[in-house]
Amino acid sequence: LLMAVVMFLMTPSQKQLQLSALPSLTEPSAWTPGKPALWENQAFETSVEFHMPYMNLVEDIHVQSDMPNGLMRVSHYSGANTFLVNTSGRSFRISPVVATMSCHYTTEQTALEPVIPDLKTFIEMGDWHEIDLVDKQGTHSKGFKFDINTGIPVKDNKNATWASYDPKAAAKYAGKYTFIVNATGGGVPVNLTFKGHNNLF
């Protein structure tokens, strides 16, 4: 059981590898649920803040993802741990060990890590409605709030110490999830709050 808040910061990085940043839109878009969002089926770059309130933990994650070509770069802890994923070749993990950097590789990585939730799952399994978003500068935007609630955890038997969720669907959603998307920005992810199974990263 995990309770977490995931903040998606869609500001393009100055460091560009071979991946494209999400396109910045200069005019409001008429994005609505059912249309492809900016991160779906194209290359994107984003920074993520992963909050675990009960542990007072905030982890920064930087992601560059090119789903059409099966490529991804994920950096944790300000770049201390880096994963380079290539679904058609070698994938690498670079991480510190004492005073040196270690590098491991595998050829068994066949899929990219999910970073931003699949909207199709939220539409099919949950419900959604339009909301008003206000940023730190006081600018109002049109948004959509998506909710999935598969129920509370259950114990496998009366003697079980831990309660567990039974994940629903291949996406492994189990618990309560709230996902907010900025429609004015063309379908930009803003926030994911959940209590249950973590199916990201």
Side-chain angles (χ1 to χ4, degrees):
L1 176 64
L2 176 65
M3 180 175 66
V5 178
V6 183
M7 307 292 291
F8 302 99
L9 310 174
M10 308 305 283
T11 52
S13 170
Q14 296 300 316
K15 296 181 179 179
Q16 299 289 329
L17 295 182
Q18 296 179 358
L19 304 175
S20 302
L22 280 169
S24 58
L25 303 179
T26 56
E27 297 180 1
S29 172
W31 183 86
T32 57
K35 293 183 178 180
L38 287 181
W39 71 91
E40 297 182 313
N41 303 318
Q42 65 175 315
F44 69 87
E45 178 175 352
T46 185
S47 294
V48 179
E49 287 185 359
F50 191 86
H51 297 251
M52 296 175 65
Y54 59 92
M55 292 180 60
N56 197 27
L57 171 69
V58 178
E59 180 181 354
D60 63 291
I61 304 169
H62 186 77
V63 179
Q64 293 169 303
S65 178
D66 186 352
M67 185 178 294
N69 292 305
L71 301 172
M72 174 178 274
R73 181 179 190 268
V74 182
S75 298
H76 296 258
Y77 306 110
S78 300
N81 287 349
T82 300
F83 298 85
L84 304 173
V85 179
N86 181 354
T87 59
S88 61
R90 289 186 177 183
S91 297
F92 299 87
R93 175 183 178 180
I94 305 168
S95 56
V97 177
V98 190
T100 62
M101 297 296 289
S102 69
C103 181
H104 302 272
Y105 75 89
T106 180
T107 57
E108 299 178 2
Q109 188 80 28
T110 59
L112 301 183
E113 292 291 326
V115 176
I116 304 174
D118 181 10
L119 279 176
K120 181 181 178 182
T121 304
F122 274 81
I123 293 172
E124 292 178 350
M125 293 180 58
D127 53 35
W128 51 270
H129 61 274
E130 185 177 324
I131 61 172
D132 184 38
L133 299 177
V134 184
D135 65 16
K136 293 180 180 179
Q137 288 73 40
T139 303
H140 288 257
S141 301
K142 174 182 175 181
F144 287 94
K145 179 181 177 183
F146 299 83
D147 293 295
I148 292 178
N149 189 351
T150 65
I152 62 174
V154 295
K155 290 189 176 182
D156 295 330
N157 59 68
K158 64 179 182 180
N159 297 320
T161 304
W162 296 95
S164 61
Y165 284 95
D166 178 22
K168 307 295 182 183
K172 302 298 183 186
Y173 284 93
K176 184 177 181 181
Y177 303 79
T178 298
F179 184 34
I180 296 175
V181 176
N182 185 328
T184 301
V188 176
V190 177
N191 175 285
L192 171 69
T193 302
F194 67 91
K195 183 177 181 181
H197 180 256
N198 177 22
N199 62 347
L200 301 177
F201 312 110

